[in-house]
Amino acid sequence: MKGYLMRIAIPLDKNMMFYNENPYTAPKFAIYFIEGNHSDISFKILKILDNPRYLDVSEGVEEIQKKCDCNIERQTDMQHICEHYSILETIGNCSYLLAAKYCHNTYKTLKNGGIKIFKIPSIIKKTEIAIKNFLIGASFANKIQSIHDAS
């Protein structure tokens, strides 16, 4: 029976809750390790990392970027595209990013870096619920009998 071993990234807000805006604009990322088999999966937090792009923007992140409403001109602007690659420096060793919404450039950047985005419903606020939603939605839970926090 094949086991699961993977790292996932979760964007966090300033209160360490699941960040529901474009993850490119999140203050922090939590990196979780997931392991297990078809009958039992556990997850634990490995580390919490600052988002370097968030720290670089001293005046705050533009609302248009939070809401993923960049126009076509901005989506094709090379500087804007390159800014999105800062996310790979932070979560590049992960298999998935859990996100409620994301812009086209975030999607392209992560795809180019080998990271898949798994969409999480925007009503979710707790990271534990986001992880469980991912596990169930990604079909890991077909035969799982127990999902628990290993921390």
Side-chain angles (χ1 to χ4, degrees):
M1 181 181 306
K2 186 177 179 183
Y4 300 112
L5 295 170
M6 73 176 76
R7 291 176 191 242
I8 62 169
I10 299 177
L12 300 175
D13 65 17
K14 292 178 183 177
N15 299 315
M16 307 305 277
M17 301 294 283
F18 183 75
Y19 185 73
N20 281 296
E21 303 293 347
N22 188 351
Y24 162 70
T25 65
K28 297 183 178 293
F29 290 97
I31 308 299
Y32 281 84
F33 183 70
I34 297 175
E35 63 182 332
N37 56 42
H38 289 298
S39 63
D40 187 35
I41 290 183
S42 63
F43 58 90
K44 65 180 175 182
I45 191 163
L46 294 177
K47 54 189 163 186
I48 295 176
L49 303 167
D50 290 326
N51 179 354
R53 176 65 186 148
Y54 184 83
L55 296 175
D56 286 345
V57 185
S58 60
E59 69 276 1
V61 178
E62 293 179 49
E63 198 62 32
I64 195 168
Q65 291 179 326
K66 285 184 183 179
K67 300 296 181 200
C68 309
D69 288 335
C70 296
N71 61 27
I72 296 296
E73 180 181 324
R74 191 170 190 142
Q75 288 179 27
T76 58
D77 177 67
M78 190 52 68
Q79 180 178 345
H80 186 67
I81 292 169
C82 289
E83 289 170 352
H84 282 72
Y85 276 88
S86 66
I87 198 170
L88 283 177
E89 292 295 318
T90 307
I91 66 167
N93 63 347
C94 294
S95 301
Y96 289 90
L97 170 70
L98 310 188
K101 62 176 110 169
Y102 48 90
C103 68
H104 178 71
N105 286 339
T106 296
Y107 170 78
K108 280 180 45 179
T109 297
L110 294 179
K111 182 179 176 187
N112 290 342
I115 299 173
K116 296 177 184 172
I117 299 177
F118 186 86
K119 193 150 173 74
I120 298 294
S122 61
I123 59 169
I124 293 178
K125 304 290 183 221
K126 295 183 178 181
T127 57
E128 180 180 331
I129 302 300
I131 293 168
K132 289 178 179 179
N133 186 279
F134 163 71
L135 291 171
I136 291 168
S139 300
F140 291 133
N142 285 346
K143 297 178 183 174
I144 296 172
Q145 297 168 1
S146 171
I147 298 175
H148 61 276
D149 185 343
S151 301

